[in-house]
Amino acid sequence: MWFLCLTYVLSRLQGSKKVPKCQCKGRSFPSVVSLLRPLLLDVVPSVRQTAALGLGRLADYNVDLAEAVVKAGILPQLVRSLPEENRYYKKTAAFVLRAIAKHSPQLAQAVVQSGALETLVICLEDFDPGVKEGACWAFDYIARHNPELSQAVVEAGAVPLLVLCIQEPEIALKRIAASTLSDISKHSPELAQTVVDAGAIAHLAQMIPNPDAKLKRQVLSALSQIAKHSVDLAELVVEAEIFPVVLTCLKDSDEYVKKNGATLIREIAKHSPELSQLIVNSGGVAAVIDCIGSCRGTVRLPGIMMLGYVAAHSENLSMAVIVSKGIPPLCACLIEEHEDHIKAAAAWALGQIGRHTAEHARHVAGANVLPTLLDIYVDTRSSEDLKMKAKKALKNILQKCTHLPALEPLLHDAPPSIMKHIIGQFSKVLPHDSKARRLFVTTGGLKKVQEIKADAGSLLQEYINAINNCYPEEIVRFYSPGYSEILLERVESYQPVL
């Protein structure tokens, strides 16, 4: 009867989309958990293993069932019996622990408190690769939740054994071991340093050229999580000679490999001008630009941010992005992408490129990006973050831009918060450029300036006065609002001399 009930539960769990009900006397799954528990002590090994598998599938199904397994007191019993069991039972027991831990930090903590970590460490030393893989999965689902749980995994002594696992020949074991190291490293510099001290970087770097796409994803993710925390950790990753081999990942057919490769380069570039210069020297900027141009959606995001970080460091690095033709694909992202956070990243990156000198701003403005940024800023459908990034980018570029033909179209559409920066640039250039002054009149710029209403004594009014002072008084009056009516009144009142 017990075994028939268990068989029924397992069959219903496979491929079910609704929570099934056990038909044994109307009991629901929590009741089934209590029925399965005694089977873990059955004298027949296959029954014990099947019972554990049933509990694992129950716990894996949703958080409520996982909590029911924990409340039934099954974890201590499972952990105590694990070292004496065969390899099949060990794999199944590791699956149960993983299925419970994945749902929440609280359930993962319950797994830790049951003493499972010490037993899982023993499993990492097992001869069977499947047992090691099961233990890695359990560690991964525990470590990913928060720094405290990751620290518990570290203190259990798992990290050196995980580094050994990535050196095993089995691809599946390599993948999950690399993923676990990634999830341990992501929380803090101290945890990342623990992974580094175990010698993980060199072995991870050697696997970047591996043809298995899923493995490359995890390897690149682990290196990214290590490099992101500090300059020192990023330099250790670079010293493992990941360049230029990591650049080949940007051309991979797997989009996640592309994304993780760009993320790794971004995490290195953000720390210092020296690291960004190293990336430029290795051809990394050009490779990232090609990657942005060849893909769509969130795959573009880390590459966009990487260009922004590189450009932010210095004038020379920003010019390297310009020379590598990085502006057109960033402009394309503003137009083509539908997700606001991707557009926001592109706007931020363009602002970092154009903020250094007049030459930098001219290159950005020459790509006709200013009207696009302005349209995004005034669009009511744009998110607040996107509006803020677009406004900041406009300010960064406008404050350096002396290319007046690129500024004039904005005079007719810009809101007051942007207009003052545009007028400010005209007030700086027009006093020293006679051709620009003439062109400013013929294109209607001076007329538009006279139509702007500014508060007396404001910075905007000072800019307008500076522009007006560049022209004869009668020209300024001629283009002032209402002056044509004054002239017509004078015509009407004028008495011709006969």
Side-chain angles (χ1 to χ4, degrees), residues 257-274:
V257 172
K258 283 185 180 180
K259 184 178 180 180
N260 289 0
T263 301
L264 173 56
I265 299 170
R266 178 195 70 190
E267 297 299 348
I268 294 170
K270 74 180 184 181
H271 288 295
S272 71
E274 292 76 18

Side-chain angles (χ1 to χ4, degrees), residues 64-80:
D64 294 330
L65 294 172
E67 289 175 351
V69 173
V70 172
K71 289 176 182 177
I74 288 171
L75 281 178
Q77 179 180 327
L78 191 74
V79 170
R80 281 195 303 270

Side-chain angles (χ1 to χ4, degrees), residues 75 78 82 90-103 107-109 111-112 116-117 119-121 123-124 130-145 149-150 153 158 162 176-177 179-180 183-184:
L75 281 178
L78 191 74
L82 199 150
K90 288 178 180 178
K91 285 189 280 188
T92 305
F95 169 64
V96 177
L97 297 173
R98 150 194 169 185
I100 293 171
K102 79 172 189 178
H103 293 290
L107 286 170
Q109 184 63 44
V111 172
V112 172
L117 295 185
T119 304
L120 289 170
V121 166
C123 291
L124 285 180
V131 175
K132 292 179 182 179
E133 184 183 343
C136 286
W137 275 105
F139 277 125
D140 193 14
Y141 277 114
I142 293 168
R144 66 178 53 181
H145 288 295
L149 288 167
S150 275
V153 171
L162 289 168
I176 186 56
S179 175
T180 307
D183 281 325
I184 292 172

Side-chain angles (χ1 to χ4, degrees), residues 243 246-247 250 261-269 279 288 306:
F243 291 101
V246 72
L247 302 182
L250 302 179
T263 301
L264 173 56
I265 299 170
R266 178 195 70 190
E267 297 299 348
I268 294 170
I279 292 170
V288 168
M306 176 268 183

Side-chain angles (χ1 to χ4, degrees), residues 72-331:
I74 288 171
L75 281 178
Q77 179 180 327
L78 191 74
V79 170
R80 281 195 303 270
S81 63
L82 199 150
E84 291 79 28
E85 293 286 352
N86 60 37
R87 56 179 176 156
Y88 303 107
Y89 184 89
K90 288 178 180 178
K91 285 189 280 188
T92 305
F95 169 64
V96 177
L97 297 173
R98 150 194 169 185
I100 293 171
K102 79 172 189 178
H103 293 290
S104 70
Q106 293 75 23
L107 286 170
Q109 184 63 44
V111 172
V112 172
Q113 290 173 347
S114 71
L117 295 185
E118 292 74 12
T119 304
L120 289 170
V121 166
I122 296 172
C123 291
L124 285 180
E125 299 175 308
D126 198 274
F127 179 77
D128 185 82
V131 175
K132 292 179 182 179
E133 184 183 343
C136 286
W137 275 105
F139 277 125
D140 193 14
Y141 277 114
I142 293 168
R144 66 178 53 181
H145 288 295
N146 58 46
E148 292 75 24
L149 288 167
S150 275
Q151 186 62 42
V153 171
V154 169
E155 291 173 357
V159 172
L161 296 172
L162 289 168
V163 174
L164 289 176
C165 286
I166 62 175
Q167 301 171 58
E168 295 285 345
E170 290 78 16
I171 290 293
L173 179 55
K174 286 177 179 285
R175 290 174 189 162
I176 186 56
S179 175
T180 307
L181 291 171
S182 176
D183 281 325
I184 292 172
S185 301
K186 72 181 181 182
H187 296 291
S188 70
E190 293 76 19
L191 287 166
Q193 188 64 55
T194 302
V195 173
V196 172
D197 292 342
I201 290 179
H203 298 293
L204 290 168
Q206 289 173 2
M207 290 188 286
I208 293 176
N210 193 289
D212 184 77
K214 291 182 180 179
L215 176 58
K216 280 196 285 191
R217 293 178 194 175
Q218 302 303 335
V219 166
L220 294 168
S221 174
L223 291 171
S224 300
Q225 298 296 355
I226 294 170
K228 75 178 184 181
H229 293 291
S230 68
V231 175
D232 293 337
L233 288 170
E235 288 176 347
L236 289 173
V237 172
V238 171
E239 287 170 5
E241 300 181 355
I242 64 168
F243 291 101
V245 66
V246 72
L247 302 182
T248 62
C249 297
L250 302 179
K251 298 180 180 180
D252 199 276
S253 59
D254 186 279
E255 289 198 341
Y256 289 101
V257 172
K258 283 185 180 180
K259 184 178 180 180
N260 289 0
T263 301
L264 173 56
I265 299 170
R266 178 195 70 190
E267 297 299 348
I268 294 170
K270 74 180 184 181
H271 288 295
S272 71
E274 292 76 18
L275 287 171
S276 287
Q277 187 64 58
L278 183 148
I279 292 170
V280 171
N281 294 344
S282 67
V285 167
V288 168
I289 290 170
D290 289 342
C291 179
I292 294 173
S294 66
C295 55
R296 295 290 183 274
T298 56
V299 181
R300 281 176 156 177
L301 186 58
I304 292 169
M305 296 181 67
M306 176 268 183
L307 295 180
Y309 282 127
V310 171
H313 284 305
S314 70
E315 295 178 11
N316 291 337
L317 288 168
S318 182
M319 189 55 67
V321 175
I322 294 171
V323 171
S324 299
K325 300 181 180 179
I327 295 176
L330 290 174
C331 296

